[in-house]
Amino acid sequence: MTQNESHRASPVFHQDGQHHPYHIVEPFLARQQSYGAAMGAHQPSPAHTVLGSHIEHPQPLRPNPAPANPARETDPNKAADRIRLSLVWDATTLNVWLDLNAHGEAFYKAFQQQATKQRKDILDRATMTILLKKDKSIPDEEAYALSLDEDDLDADWETTLEWLDANKRDKSPHICGVVEMDDG
């Protein structure tokens, strides 16, 4: 096959989606390039020029699909980033999710939502403590005391996460607890 036959046999796809024989498109491209040069436009980069019997494009004709999901969403250990707390407050049991990657305030908001939904109480967080336990049969004196006071919760959050990680059960509820109110 000669070079001219090769040009005629090579299809070129145009923006309209139609394919055109190379010998029809080549004069058009040459006019466009010379017009751009006459108007003071920069010379086309090698990726835009005609090379041999085909045209190269600066971007692929079919863009690569975006990744399906970020690694965090496809991580099989994602469930390990949250633990379930079963907290007893008087006669009410509150089941609260705790995100191990979130701040203490996010936990308090989840706790507050469950408490107001089930108990209809107005919470005074400065007087509230949760006694966290690996198992509900552990005496209160051996529990980890988590103050819900805003400053205390923030200051102790890293230590709380370490305790939770060391003491969580494999099955839900991962941690048990008792909610206590300080009377004054």
Side-chain angles (χ1 to χ4, degrees):
M1 188 185 290
T2 68
Q3 189 172 0
N4 285 340
E5 289 171 338
S6 150
H7 284 295
R8 277 184 245 124
S10 299
V12 174
F13 291 91
H14 197 56
Q15 289 179 348
D16 63 3
Q18 303 285 328
H19 89 264
H20 304 281
Y22 186 76
H23 71 278
I24 294 173
V25 176
E26 185 178 35
F28 172 76
L29 292 175
R31 280 194 307 269
Q32 292 288 38
Q33 288 175 352
S34 64
Y35 177 74
M39 297 302 293
H42 71 283
Q43 289 296 319
S45 68
H48 293 96
T49 59
V50 177
L51 300 174
S53 64
H54 67 279
I55 299 173
E56 292 189 21
H57 296 276
Q59 297 178 351
L61 291 175
R62 291 184 200 139
N64 293 333
N69 290 322
R72 176 134 167 89
E73 290 183 22
T74 59
D75 184 1
N77 297 322
K78 183 176 182 200
D81 292 342
R82 292 185 344 153
I83 61 173
R84 187 78 157 165
L85 279 64
S86 178
L87 308 173
V88 176
W89 186 358
D90 296 330
T92 307
T93 300
L94 306 172
N95 293 308
V96 181
W97 283 105
L98 186 146
D99 183 347
L100 297 171
N101 295 319
H103 295 285
E105 194 60 26
F107 165 70
Y108 175 74
K109 288 182 185 208
F111 170 79
Q112 180 184 36
Q113 181 182 16
Q114 286 299 313
T116 55
K117 182 169 134 183
Q118 291 186 22
R119 292 189 47 102
K120 311 287 189 244
D121 287 341
I122 297 174
L123 304 181
D124 180 9
R125 69 187 289 175
T127 64
M128 299 181 82
T129 301
I130 300 175
L131 301 176
L132 299 174
K133 307 173 183 185
K134 182 176 184 172
D135 185 275
K136 60 183 162 184
S137 64
I138 293 174
D140 290 352
E141 300 80 38
E142 296 176 24
Y144 177 87
L146 174 63
S147 171
L148 295 182
D149 176 75
E150 189 172 2
D151 292 334
D152 292 345
L153 184 64
D154 185 50
D156 299 334
W157 191 245
E158 289 300 318
T159 306
T160 300
L161 290 177
E162 290 170 8
W163 186 91
L164 290 167
D165 189 48
N167 291 282
K168 68 183 176 188
R169 297 173 357 132
D170 291 335
K171 291 176 26 176
S172 180
H174 303 101
I175 297 290
C176 299
V178 176
V179 179
E180 289 190 340
M181 299 289 293
D182 182 16
D183 293 332

